[in-house]
Amino acid sequence: YNLVMTSPIKIKLTLEQWCEQYKRWIAKNPNLVSDIESTVKYVSFFTAGRLNSSTLASEFVYSLPNLMVLFNDQIIKASRNPESKLPSLQSKIKIWLTIIDYTEALFEVSAKKLWGEAGRWFIIALIQMLKVAMRLVLVFRYKERITLTPAIPPLNREKLNENNDGLQRPKEAFSLKRSGKVVRTVRSSSSQPRTWTPPTSSSSVETEELGNNATIDSLKKSLLIAETLYIVKPLLHLGCLSVSGPKNWNPWLLSFIIDLTSLKIFSQEPTLNREEREELCRRRIGLLLYILRSPFYDNCSRMRIFYMLETISKTVPLARLIAEPIARYLPHWQNTYFYMWSS
């Protein structure tokens, strides 16, 4: 009886010990972990093509490396900031948004296998509503001017290793929320010679406030409108799609106009930071995906794309090894990914 009762406890302790060892190993070997993750990701790309007959397995193979990178990044961040508290609500929202971005196609194909086409579209609508709600919280509650995709980008581990002090330098001071007075931190006073010069407002000064560096005043109304339009675009598209049907041009035109309007408003803002500019660049490049989305793909671009791939495979040496698999899997990819107008 004692053996039966103690075995689950031993198993639990063993799992906890294994997890702790795994976390320590990840924290000590970030470069090796990056190499392993890259290998798994490349293998998943080739495997996904081979598993085209099994869409569920293909999506699982695609999602697994991305989730592994996200999980390991969180371990590395925690190891470099051992005094950090539990993630804030803002961080938790970003983590869940990133997980959904990596797994939404997996949930979609799973729902289609279990409940058919109706279940598939129900899951699509549910996922998009969750994403829209969380992104709106980031914009209106935490004053983020532009929400990133994925919400938590992969950690730059090479840059991280160059700084042995952690993810960022210790904060010299912080600004009081109401008065705006700058107060020096205890850590900065103990680690540096005492000077009577007041700390300046720089990157080392942290505002005692949730959210990113953008304040309520800096979140201009025009930027708020532009980002809100971009965020709610998937729901507007799904609503228009349910009314007009998948073959109608109205959903395609609606989404395209929303994207152009949002980007036009953002292009007039001169105070964007590097991350925001990179996200806008990604969105501009994403406009190219409209040629792969129905009904434009069905009526205009499909035959031209296949003709181009066939020409390249016949005229360019060794290009056939790439062009033919793309032509073979493009209908599957177009049906699985390019219908989605996700934010």
Side-chain angles (χ1 to χ4, degrees):
Y1 176 77
N2 290 334
L3 291 175
V4 174
M5 292 297 294
T6 56
S7 58
I9 299 176
K10 289 183 178 180
I11 293 174
K12 182 179 179 180
L13 290 175
T14 303
L15 289 175
E16 290 179 353
Q17 292 171 357
W18 184 86
C19 290
E20 289 300 323
Q21 291 177 359
Y22 177 78
K23 291 179 180 179
R24 287 195 294 268
W25 184 80
I26 292 293
K28 292 179 180 178
N29 304 279
N31 289 334
L32 179 59
V33 172
S34 298
D35 294 337
I36 295 174
E37 290 168 349
S38 299
T39 303
V40 173
K41 186 170 291 187
Y42 289 135
V43 170
S44 71
F45 291 152
F46 290 104
T47 308
R50 302 298 179 185
L51 295 175
N52 190 39
S53 58
S54 177
T55 309
L56 184 60
S58 177
E59 291 303 327
F60 178 78
V61 169
Y62 168 78
S63 301
L64 184 61
N66 293 319
L67 294 176
M68 183 173 67
V69 171
L70 175 64
F71 180 68
N72 291 338
D73 281 350
Q74 299 307 307
I75 293 176
I76 294 173
K77 287 181 181 179
S79 67
R80 301 303 174 96
N81 292 278
E83 297 179 1
S84 61
K85 299 179 181 179
L86 293 175
S88 63
L89 178 59
Q90 182 183 14
S91 298
K92 291 178 180 178
I93 290 175
K94 289 186 175 183
I95 290 173
W96 280 109
L97 269 174
T98 307
I99 293 174
I100 292 175
D101 282 334
Y102 291 153
T103 59
E104 59 181 330
L106 176 63
F107 284 115
E108 174 202 332
V109 296
S110 301
K112 185 177 181 180
K113 282 186 174 293
L114 292 174
W115 304 304
E117 198 67 23
R120 173 198 178 203
W121 284 106
F122 173 78
I123 292 298
I124 289 173
L126 180 62
I127 288 176
Q128 295 308 312
M129 286 189 288
L130 287 174
K131 291 176 66 175
V132 167
M134 288 189 284
R135 289 184 183 275
L136 288 178
V137 170
L138 292 178
V139 171
F140 286 92
R141 173 66 178 86
Y142 296 104
K143 310 306 174 185
E144 292 197 5
R145 298 191 295 183
I146 297 178
T147 55
L148 305 181
T149 303
I152 301 180
L155 192 63
N156 188 342
R157 297 175 188 174
E158 293 183 359
K159 184 177 180 180
L160 178 65
N161 292 332
E162 294 175 359
N163 185 2
N164 295 325
D165 296 330
L167 291 174
Q168 56 185 1
R169 293 181 301 175
K171 304 295 182 182
E172 294 179 3
F174 64 92
S175 175
L176 296 179
K177 185 175 181 180
R178 294 187 177 181
S179 64
K181 185 177 180 180
V182 178
V183 180
R184 193 185 302 273
T185 62
V186 176
R187 179 180 297 179
S188 65
S189 300
S190 61
S191 61
Q192 299 177 1
R194 176 61 176 169
T195 61
W196 297 103
T197 304
T200 58
S201 177
S202 64
S203 59
S204 61
V205 178
E206 181 180 21
T207 303
E208 191 184 78
E209 183 178 44
L210 290 174
N212 61 0
N213 295 329
T215 61
I216 297 177
D217 294 334
S218 67
L219 193 60
K220 296 181 180 179
K221 187 176 181 180
S222 59
L223 300 184
L224 186 65
I225 293 174
E227 187 62 13
T228 302
L229 279 174
Y230 180 79
I231 290 173
V232 301
K233 178 188 65 176
L235 294 184
L236 296 178
H237 172 262
L238 288 174
C240 187
L241 192 67
S242 64
V243 174
S244 303
K247 302 298 182 181
N248 197 289
W249 281 88
N250 290 337
W252 190 93
L253 290 172
L254 175 65
S255 297
F256 189 60
I257 291 172
I258 290 176
D259 271 333
L260 291 180
T261 303
S262 176
L263 290 172
K264 177 63 176 178
I265 296 174
F266 279 123
S267 65
Q268 300 172 355
E269 175 57 43
T271 62
L272 300 177
N273 59 36
R274 181 181 58 83
E275 281 190 344
E276 291 170 339
R277 290 194 299 270
E278 289 177 354
E279 173 63 19
L280 291 181
C281 181
R282 186 197 65 81
R283 294 182 186 182
R284 292 189 185 99
I285 296 174
L287 293 176
L288 295 175
L289 296 179
Y290 277 87
I291 66 175
L292 295 174
R293 288 170 171 160
S294 298
F296 188 91
Y297 173 80
D298 299 326
N299 297 294
C300 303
S301 61
R302 180 176 59 180
M303 298 307 298
R304 290 179 173 85
I305 291 174
F306 280 106
Y307 176 77
M308 180 186 67
L309 291 174
E310 183 180 359
T311 303
I312 291 174
S313 64
K314 290 181 179 180
T315 56
V316 180
L318 301 179
R320 180 172 58 87
L321 300 176
I322 299 176
E324 288 187 356
I326 292 177
R328 190 181 310 121
Y329 300 131
L330 184 58
H332 165 71
W333 292 335
Q334 196 274 338
N335 184 58
T336 304
Y337 304 110
F338 296 117
Y339 72 89
M340 183 54 63
W341 312 79
S342 181
S343 54

